[in-house]
Amino acid sequence: MARPIWTGSISFGLVSIGVEMSTVVRDRSIHFHMLNKEGTCRLRRKLVCPDSGKEYDFGQTSRGIEVGPGEYVLIDQKEIAKIKPEKGRSLEIVQFAAVEEIDPIHYENVYYLRPSKDARKPYKLLTDAMAQSGKIALGKFVMRDKEHLVVIRPVEETLVLHTLHYSDEVEAIDAELIDSMKKIKVSAPELKMAGELIKAMTTELDLAEFKDEFRAQLKVLVDAKVKGKNIKMPTDDQERVAEPKTINLMDALKKSLAAGPAKFNTATHHHRRSA
């Protein structure tokens, strides 16, 4: 069980539900460090003025916000402290909504919400009531000096929390692109053929089948180096992918359907490994 990164309570009307929040996603990426060429010394970054070349310690720094090219407004730590959101242990549900009302583009990070030992009954009540209503909850709480807008949704017998990007953080779709795309005409036969290809490629989804193959190969390489073994890796020629060619759209759709979804998926996975 992951260690809680936040503990508090969900405020549901006058009902208070004690919860512990833990991460859902575990970063399994292999991280590189900057070393000298011999690999005997880990390098560190310095705080250096590009104009004078003078090096500074962290204690000699100040915080500033750029308001123009090369122009900064200094903000004192005490001034920041005065306007920081007040740390609390309450996550207030402000309203309920249908899940389709929120575009997935707003979703940011995801966490599990577990009930505290004495809050299982009200936690169960909220989970079941939300599942029965088919609604999600929108709430706000403060974590790590930031006020987060969140969505809470029931998943099986538990609650999952998603932090959201605020609306002003999400860039609008390019209106010029939308207008230009509306002017492009797709023929009925092309649309029908594309629909048939989608249907042919629609199978039962199992996300566990999708693997980060680059990470797997990198781990093999690292393990082999640790053990002092030499392993054969794909050459550039083996990895090279043919450049896409401009072809007739209907011909491409017909060939894709003729190839069958299994053959198409194999080619897709190979392209992903080679990309």
PDB file of all heavy atoms in Angstrom, residues 110-139:
ATOM      1  N   VAL A 110      -3.935  11.699 -10.943  1.00  0.00           N
ATOM      2  CA  VAL A 110      -4.950  10.822 -10.361  1.00  0.00           C
ATOM      3  C   VAL A 110      -4.433  10.207  -9.062  1.00  0.00           C
ATOM      4  O   VAL A 110      -3.255   9.873  -8.942  1.00  0.00           O
ATOM      5  CB  VAL A 110      -5.364   9.722 -11.373  1.00  0.00           C
ATOM      6  CG1 VAL A 110      -4.164   8.897 -11.811  1.00  0.00           C
ATOM      7  CG2 VAL A 110      -6.457   8.830 -10.798  1.00  0.00           C
ATOM      8  N   TYR A 111      -5.351  10.064  -8.080  1.00  0.00           N
ATOM      9  CA  TYR A 111      -4.999   9.545  -6.762  1.00  0.00           C
ATOM     10  C   TYR A 111      -6.114   8.640  -6.243  1.00  0.00           C
ATOM     11  O   TYR A 111      -7.270   8.763  -6.648  1.00  0.00           O
ATOM     12  CB  TYR A 111      -4.798  10.690  -5.755  1.00  0.00           C
ATOM     13  CG  TYR A 111      -3.766  11.707  -6.168  1.00  0.00           C
ATOM     14  CD1 TYR A 111      -4.129  12.831  -6.921  1.00  0.00           C
ATOM     15  CD2 TYR A 111      -2.433  11.557  -5.814  1.00  0.00           C
ATOM     16  CE1 TYR A 111      -3.178  13.770  -7.299  1.00  0.00           C
ATOM     17  CE2 TYR A 111      -1.478  12.500  -6.191  1.00  0.00           C
ATOM     18  CZ  TYR A 111      -1.853  13.593  -6.936  1.00  0.00           C
ATOM     19  OH  TYR A 111      -0.919  14.509  -7.321  1.00  0.00           O
ATOM     20  N   TYR A 112      -5.744   7.740  -5.343  1.00  0.00           N
ATOM     21  CA  TYR A 112      -6.731   6.934  -4.630  1.00  0.00           C
ATOM     22  C   TYR A 112      -7.128   7.639  -3.338  1.00  0.00           C
ATOM     23  O   TYR A 112      -6.288   8.245  -2.671  1.00  0.00           O
ATOM     24  CB  TYR A 112      -6.164   5.554  -4.276  1.00  0.00           C
ATOM     25  CG  TYR A 112      -6.029   4.600  -5.440  1.00  0.00           C
ATOM     26  CD1 TYR A 112      -4.821   3.969  -5.682  1.00  0.00           C
ATOM     27  CD2 TYR A 112      -7.104   4.320  -6.274  1.00  0.00           C
ATOM     28  CE1 TYR A 112      -4.675   3.082  -6.747  1.00  0.00           C
ATOM     29  CE2 TYR A 112      -6.974   3.448  -7.332  1.00  0.00           C
ATOM     30  CZ  TYR A 112      -5.757   2.828  -7.571  1.00  0.00           C
ATOM     31  OH  TYR A 112      -5.625   1.965  -8.620  1.00  0.00           O
ATOM     32  N   LEU A 113      -8.402   7.544  -2.978  1.00  0.00           N
ATOM     33  CA  LEU A 113      -8.888   8.022  -1.693  1.00  0.00           C
ATOM     34  C   LEU A 113      -9.343   6.809  -0.884  1.00  0.00           C
ATOM     35  O   LEU A 113     -10.264   6.106  -1.282  1.00  0.00           O
ATOM     36  CB  LEU A 113     -10.063   8.994  -1.875  1.00  0.00           C
ATOM     37  CG  LEU A 113      -9.753  10.377  -2.440  1.00  0.00           C
ATOM     38  CD1 LEU A 113     -11.048  11.160  -2.630  1.00  0.00           C
ATOM     39  CD2 LEU A 113      -8.818  11.146  -1.522  1.00  0.00           C
ATOM     40  N   ARG A 114      -8.678   6.574   0.245  1.00  0.00           N
ATOM     41  CA  ARG A 114      -9.037   5.479   1.128  1.00  0.00           C
ATOM     42  C   ARG A 114      -9.692   6.046   2.377  1.00  0.00           C
ATOM     43  O   ARG A 114      -9.304   7.113   2.859  1.00  0.00           O
ATOM     44  CB  ARG A 114      -7.796   4.677   1.544  1.00  0.00           C
ATOM     45  CG  ARG A 114      -7.152   3.884   0.424  1.00  0.00           C
ATOM     46  CD  ARG A 114      -5.873   3.219   0.918  1.00  0.00           C
ATOM     47  NE  ARG A 114      -6.099   2.448   2.123  1.00  0.00           N
ATOM     48  CZ  ARG A 114      -6.539   1.192   2.128  1.00  0.00           C
ATOM     49  NH1 ARG A 114      -6.781   0.585   0.978  1.00  0.00           N
ATOM     50  NH2 ARG A 114      -6.726   0.552   3.258  1.00  0.00           N
ATOM     51  N   PRO A 115     -10.679   5.335   2.947  1.00  0.00           N
ATOM     52  CA  PRO A 115     -11.308   5.838   4.165  1.00  0.00           C
ATOM     53  C   PRO A 115     -10.412   5.612   5.379  1.00  0.00           C
ATOM     54  O   PRO A 115      -9.667   4.630   5.443  1.00  0.00           O
ATOM     55  CB  PRO A 115     -12.581   4.994   4.265  1.00  0.00           C
ATOM     56  CG  PRO A 115     -12.213   3.701   3.618  1.00  0.00           C
ATOM     57  CD  PRO A 115     -11.278   4.067   2.488  1.00  0.00           C
ATOM     58  N   SER A 116     -10.458   6.540   6.318  1.00  0.00           N
ATOM     59  CA  SER A 116      -9.796   6.292   7.597  1.00  0.00           C
ATOM     60  C   SER A 116     -10.583   5.208   8.330  1.00  0.00           C
ATOM     61  O   SER A 116     -11.720   4.882   7.964  1.00  0.00           O
ATOM     62  CB  SER A 116      -9.723   7.578   8.422  1.00  0.00           C
ATOM     63  OG  SER A 116     -11.017   8.118   8.617  1.00  0.00           O
ATOM     64  N   LYS A 117      -9.989   4.635   9.378  1.00  0.00           N
ATOM     65  CA  LYS A 117     -10.586   3.465  10.035  1.00  0.00           C
ATOM     66  C   LYS A 117     -11.991   3.721  10.566  1.00  0.00           C
ATOM     67  O   LYS A 117     -12.846   2.833  10.546  1.00  0.00           O
ATOM     68  CB  LYS A 117      -9.673   3.001  11.165  1.00  0.00           C
ATOM     69  CG  LYS A 117      -8.359   2.406  10.673  1.00  0.00           C
ATOM     70  CD  LYS A 117      -7.518   1.904  11.841  1.00  0.00           C
ATOM     71  CE  LYS A 117      -6.215   1.293  11.324  1.00  0.00           C
ATOM     72  NZ  LYS A 117      -5.360   0.799  12.441  1.00  0.00           N
ATOM     73  N   ASP A 118     -12.246   4.948  11.032  1.00  0.00           N
ATOM     74  CA  ASP A 118     -13.550   5.245  11.627  1.00  0.00           C
ATOM     75  C   ASP A 118     -14.519   5.892  10.643  1.00  0.00           C
ATOM     76  O   ASP A 118     -15.566   6.403  11.040  1.00  0.00           O
ATOM     77  CB  ASP A 118     -13.374   6.154  12.852  1.00  0.00           C
ATOM     78  CG  ASP A 118     -12.676   7.459  12.506  1.00  0.00           C
ATOM     79  OD1 ASP A 118     -12.131   7.555  11.389  1.00  0.00           O
ATOM     80  OD2 ASP A 118     -12.684   8.386  13.347  1.00  0.00           O
ATOM     81  N   ALA A 119     -14.170   5.885   9.335  1.00  0.00           N
ATOM     82  CA  ALA A 119     -15.022   6.573   8.353  1.00  0.00           C
ATOM     83  C   ALA A 119     -15.512   5.650   7.245  1.00  0.00           C
ATOM     84  O   ALA A 119     -15.963   6.122   6.206  1.00  0.00           O
ATOM     85  CB  ALA A 119     -14.258   7.753   7.748  1.00  0.00           C
ATOM     86  N   ARG A 120     -15.440   4.350   7.460  1.00  0.00           N
ATOM     87  CA  ARG A 120     -15.820   3.423   6.391  1.00  0.00           C
ATOM     88  C   ARG A 120     -17.305   3.481   6.055  1.00  0.00           C
ATOM     89  O   ARG A 120     -17.687   3.341   4.892  1.00  0.00           O
ATOM     90  CB  ARG A 120     -15.405   1.997   6.758  1.00  0.00           C
ATOM     91  CG  ARG A 120     -13.887   1.825   6.762  1.00  0.00           C
ATOM     92  CD  ARG A 120     -13.444   0.431   7.130  1.00  0.00           C
ATOM     93  NE  ARG A 120     -11.979   0.352   7.042  1.00  0.00           N
ATOM     94  CZ  ARG A 120     -11.322  -0.371   6.154  1.00  0.00           C
ATOM     95  NH1 ARG A 120     -11.992  -1.083   5.273  1.00  0.00           N
ATOM     96  NH2 ARG A 120     -10.003  -0.396   6.151  1.00  0.00           N
ATOM     97  N   LYS A 121     -18.152   3.663   7.049  1.00  0.00           N
ATOM     98  CA  LYS A 121     -19.596   3.715   6.791  1.00  0.00           C
ATOM     99  C   LYS A 121     -19.978   4.935   5.966  1.00  0.00           C
ATOM    100  O   LYS A 121     -20.637   4.794   4.920  1.00  0.00           O
ATOM    101  CB  LYS A 121     -20.358   3.696   8.124  1.00  0.00           C
ATOM    102  CG  LYS A 121     -21.884   3.737   7.969  1.00  0.00           C
ATOM    103  CD  LYS A 121     -22.424   2.471   7.342  1.00  0.00           C
ATOM    104  CE  LYS A 121     -23.958   2.509   7.225  1.00  0.00           C
ATOM    105  NZ  LYS A 121     -24.606   2.389   8.549  1.00  0.00           N
ATOM    106  N   PRO A 122     -19.607   6.163   6.352  1.00  0.00           N
ATOM    107  CA  PRO A 122     -19.951   7.312   5.500  1.00  0.00           C
ATOM    108  C   PRO A 122     -19.249   7.267   4.140  1.00  0.00           C
ATOM    109  O   PRO A 122     -19.794   7.742   3.141  1.00  0.00           O
ATOM    110  CB  PRO A 122     -19.499   8.522   6.321  1.00  0.00           C
ATOM    111  CG  PRO A 122     -18.534   7.991   7.315  1.00  0.00           C
ATOM    112  CD  PRO A 122     -18.976   6.604   7.617  1.00  0.00           C
ATOM    113  N   TYR A 123     -18.034   6.698   4.093  1.00  0.00           N
ATOM    114  CA  TYR A 123     -17.312   6.525   2.827  1.00  0.00           C
ATOM    115  C   TYR A 123     -18.113   5.598   1.907  1.00  0.00           C
ATOM    116  O   TYR A 123     -18.285   5.874   0.712  1.00  0.00           O
ATOM    117  CB  TYR A 123     -15.931   5.946   3.114  1.00  0.00           C
ATOM    118  CG  TYR A 123     -15.046   5.692   1.912  1.00  0.00           C
ATOM    119  CD1 TYR A 123     -14.114   6.639   1.494  1.00  0.00           C
ATOM    120  CD2 TYR A 123     -15.105   4.485   1.216  1.00  0.00           C
ATOM    121  CE1 TYR A 123     -13.268   6.403   0.418  1.00  0.00           C
ATOM    122  CE2 TYR A 123     -14.271   4.233   0.126  1.00  0.00           C
ATOM    123  CZ  TYR A 123     -13.355   5.192  -0.255  1.00  0.00           C
ATOM    124  OH  TYR A 123     -12.535   4.936  -1.328  1.00  0.00           O
ATOM    125  N   LYS A 124     -18.606   4.500   2.474  1.00  0.00           N
ATOM    126  CA  LYS A 124     -19.422   3.539   1.717  1.00  0.00           C
ATOM    127  C   LYS A 124     -20.711   4.192   1.230  1.00  0.00           C
ATOM    128  O   LYS A 124     -21.141   3.991   0.089  1.00  0.00           O
ATOM    129  CB  LYS A 124     -19.742   2.339   2.613  1.00  0.00           C
ATOM    130  CG  LYS A 124     -20.738   1.349   2.050  1.00  0.00           C
ATOM    131  CD  LYS A 124     -20.182   0.544   0.908  1.00  0.00           C
ATOM    132  CE  LYS A 124     -21.148  -0.582   0.537  1.00  0.00           C
ATOM    133  NZ  LYS A 124     -20.683  -1.343  -0.656  1.00  0.00           N
ATOM    134  N   LEU A 125     -21.316   5.015   2.086  1.00  0.00           N
ATOM    135  CA  LEU A 125     -22.550   5.716   1.721  1.00  0.00           C
ATOM    136  C   LEU A 125     -22.324   6.625   0.526  1.00  0.00           C
ATOM    137  O   LEU A 125     -23.101   6.615  -0.445  1.00  0.00           O
ATOM    138  CB  LEU A 125     -23.058   6.533   2.911  1.00  0.00           C
ATOM    139  CG  LEU A 125     -24.256   7.451   2.635  1.00  0.00           C
ATOM    140  CD1 LEU A 125     -25.476   6.635   2.243  1.00  0.00           C
ATOM    141  CD2 LEU A 125     -24.543   8.321   3.857  1.00  0.00           C
ATOM    142  N   LEU A 126     -21.245   7.422   0.561  1.00  0.00           N
ATOM    143  CA  LEU A 126     -20.952   8.340  -0.545  1.00  0.00           C
ATOM    144  C   LEU A 126     -20.631   7.573  -1.821  1.00  0.00           C
ATOM    145  O   LEU A 126     -21.124   7.921  -2.904  1.00  0.00           O
ATOM    146  CB  LEU A 126     -19.785   9.253  -0.174  1.00  0.00           C
ATOM    147  CG  LEU A 126     -19.333  10.245  -1.253  1.00  0.00           C
ATOM    148  CD1 LEU A 126     -20.470  11.179  -1.647  1.00  0.00           C
ATOM    149  CD2 LEU A 126     -18.118  11.045  -0.783  1.00  0.00           C
ATOM    150  N   THR A 127     -19.839   6.524  -1.704  1.00  0.00           N
ATOM    151  CA  THR A 127     -19.460   5.722  -2.877  1.00  0.00           C
ATOM    152  C   THR A 127     -20.689   5.113  -3.541  1.00  0.00           C
ATOM    153  O   THR A 127     -20.860   5.198  -4.764  1.00  0.00           O
ATOM    154  CB  THR A 127     -18.475   4.610  -2.472  1.00  0.00           C
ATOM    155  OG1 THR A 127     -17.338   5.184  -1.817  1.00  0.00           O
ATOM    156  CG2 THR A 127     -18.004   3.842  -3.688  1.00  0.00           C
ATOM    157  N   ASP A 128     -21.548   4.488  -2.749  1.00  0.00           N
ATOM    158  CA  ASP A 128     -22.742   3.836  -3.300  1.00  0.00           C
ATOM    159  C   ASP A 128     -23.728   4.845  -3.879  1.00  0.00           C
ATOM    160  O   ASP A 128     -24.334   4.613  -4.929  1.00  0.00           O
ATOM    161  CB  ASP A 128     -23.431   2.997  -2.229  1.00  0.00           C
ATOM    162  CG  ASP A 128     -22.656   1.737  -1.882  1.00  0.00           C
ATOM    163  OD1 ASP A 128     -21.616   1.485  -2.526  1.00  0.00           O
ATOM    164  OD2 ASP A 128     -23.075   1.002  -0.963  1.00  0.00           O
ATOM    165  N   ALA A 129     -23.886   5.975  -3.181  1.00  0.00           N
ATOM    166  CA  ALA A 129     -24.830   6.996  -3.651  1.00  0.00           C
ATOM    167  C   ALA A 129     -24.362   7.585  -4.978  1.00  0.00           C
ATOM    168  O   ALA A 129     -25.175   7.815  -5.896  1.00  0.00           O
ATOM    169  CB  ALA A 129     -24.984   8.095  -2.607  1.00  0.00           C
ATOM    170  N   MET A 130     -23.052   7.813  -5.120  1.00  0.00           N
ATOM    171  CA  MET A 130     -22.534   8.350  -6.370  1.00  0.00           C
ATOM    172  C   MET A 130     -22.651   7.328  -7.494  1.00  0.00           C
ATOM    173  O   MET A 130     -22.988   7.679  -8.631  1.00  0.00           O
ATOM    174  CB  MET A 130     -21.076   8.790  -6.191  1.00  0.00           C
ATOM    175  CG  MET A 130     -20.900  10.030  -5.338  1.00  0.00           C
ATOM    176  SD  MET A 130     -19.170  10.525  -5.150  1.00  0.00           S
ATOM    177  CE  MET A 130     -18.728  10.916  -6.841  1.00  0.00           C
ATOM    178  N   ALA A 131     -22.353   6.067  -7.194  1.00  0.00           N
ATOM    179  CA  ALA A 131     -22.460   5.022  -8.209  1.00  0.00           C
ATOM    180  C   ALA A 131     -23.901   4.881  -8.686  1.00  0.00           C
ATOM    181  O   ALA A 131     -24.167   4.714  -9.884  1.00  0.00           O
ATOM    182  CB  ALA A 131     -21.947   3.701  -7.641  1.00  0.00           C
ATOM    183  N   GLN A 132     -24.843   4.969  -7.760  1.00  0.00           N
ATOM    184  CA  GLN A 132     -26.262   4.842  -8.111  1.00  0.00           C
ATOM    185  C   GLN A 132     -26.742   6.037  -8.925  1.00  0.00           C
ATOM    186  O   GLN A 132     -27.546   5.884  -9.856  1.00  0.00           O
ATOM    187  CB  GLN A 132     -27.095   4.702  -6.832  1.00  0.00           C
ATOM    188  CG  GLN A 132     -28.582   4.453  -7.096  1.00  0.00           C
ATOM    189  CD  GLN A 132     -29.339   4.186  -5.811  1.00  0.00           C
ATOM    190  OE1 GLN A 132     -28.769   3.793  -4.809  1.00  0.00           O
ATOM    191  NE2 GLN A 132     -30.640   4.427  -5.826  1.00  0.00           N
ATOM    192  N   SER A 133     -26.249   7.221  -8.605  1.00  0.00           N
ATOM    193  CA  SER A 133     -26.685   8.424  -9.318  1.00  0.00           C
ATOM    194  C   SER A 133     -25.995   8.579 -10.672  1.00  0.00           C
ATOM    195  O   SER A 133     -26.481   9.305 -11.543  1.00  0.00           O
ATOM    196  CB  SER A 133     -26.392   9.668  -8.469  1.00  0.00           C
ATOM    197  OG  SER A 133     -24.991   9.890  -8.374  1.00  0.00           O
ATOM    198  N   GLY A 134     -24.836   7.923 -10.838  1.00  0.00           N
ATOM    199  CA  GLY A 134     -24.073   8.070 -12.072  1.00  0.00           C
ATOM    200  C   GLY A 134     -23.377   9.426 -12.169  1.00  0.00           C
ATOM    201  O   GLY A 134     -22.967   9.833 -13.260  1.00  0.00           O
ATOM    202  N   LYS A 135     -23.221  10.098 -11.042  1.00  0.00           N
ATOM    203  CA  LYS A 135     -22.617  11.431 -11.032  1.00  0.00           C
ATOM    204  C   LYS A 135     -21.180  11.393 -10.504  1.00  0.00           C
ATOM    205  O   LYS A 135     -20.765  10.454  -9.824  1.00  0.00           O
ATOM    206  CB  LYS A 135     -23.443  12.384 -10.161  1.00  0.00           C
ATOM    207  CG  LYS A 135     -24.896  12.522 -10.566  1.00  0.00           C
ATOM    208  CD  LYS A 135     -25.052  13.177 -11.930  1.00  0.00           C
ATOM    209  CE  LYS A 135     -26.528  13.389 -12.261  1.00  0.00           C
ATOM    210  NZ  LYS A 135     -26.706  13.999 -13.601  1.00  0.00           N
ATOM    211  N   ILE A 136     -20.439  12.444 -10.829  1.00  0.00           N
ATOM    212  CA  ILE A 136     -19.125  12.666 -10.247  1.00  0.00           C
ATOM    213  C   ILE A 136     -19.200  13.909  -9.375  1.00  0.00           C
ATOM    214  O   ILE A 136     -20.094  14.735  -9.549  1.00  0.00           O
ATOM    215  CB  ILE A 136     -18.045  12.847 -11.328  1.00  0.00           C
ATOM    216  CG1 ILE A 136     -18.410  14.021 -12.253  1.00  0.00           C
ATOM    217  CG2 ILE A 136     -17.825  11.563 -12.106  1.00  0.00           C
ATOM    218  CD1 ILE A 136     -17.328  14.393 -13.238  1.00  0.00           C
ATOM    219  N   ALA A 137     -18.276  14.025  -8.434  1.00  0.00           N
ATOM    220  CA  ALA A 137     -18.264  15.178  -7.530  1.00  0.00           C
ATOM    221  C   ALA A 137     -17.133  16.116  -7.893  1.00  0.00           C
ATOM    222  O   ALA A 137     -16.033  15.677  -8.215  1.00  0.00           O
ATOM    223  CB  ALA A 137     -18.107  14.699  -6.089  1.00  0.00           C
ATOM    224  N   LEU A 138     -17.395  17.409  -7.834  1.00  0.00           N
ATOM    225  CA  LEU A 138     -16.364  18.422  -7.999  1.00  0.00           C
ATOM    226  C   LEU A 138     -16.077  19.040  -6.646  1.00  0.00           C
ATOM    227  O   LEU A 138     -17.008  19.352  -5.887  1.00  0.00           O
ATOM    228  CB  LEU A 138     -16.788  19.514  -8.983  1.00  0.00           C
ATOM    229  CG  LEU A 138     -16.559  19.202 -10.465  1.00  0.00           C
ATOM    230  CD1 LEU A 138     -17.732  18.394 -11.006  1.00  0.00           C
ATOM    231  CD2 LEU A 138     -16.367  20.465 -11.267  1.00  0.00           C
ATOM    232  N   GLY A 139     -14.804  19.186  -6.340  1.00  0.00           N
ATOM    233  CA  GLY A 139     -14.438  19.739  -5.048  1.00  0.00           C
ATOM    234  C   GLY A 139     -13.177  20.568  -5.130  1.00  0.00           C
ATOM    235  O   GLY A 139     -12.533  20.659  -6.182  1.00  0.00           O
TER     236      GLY A 139
END
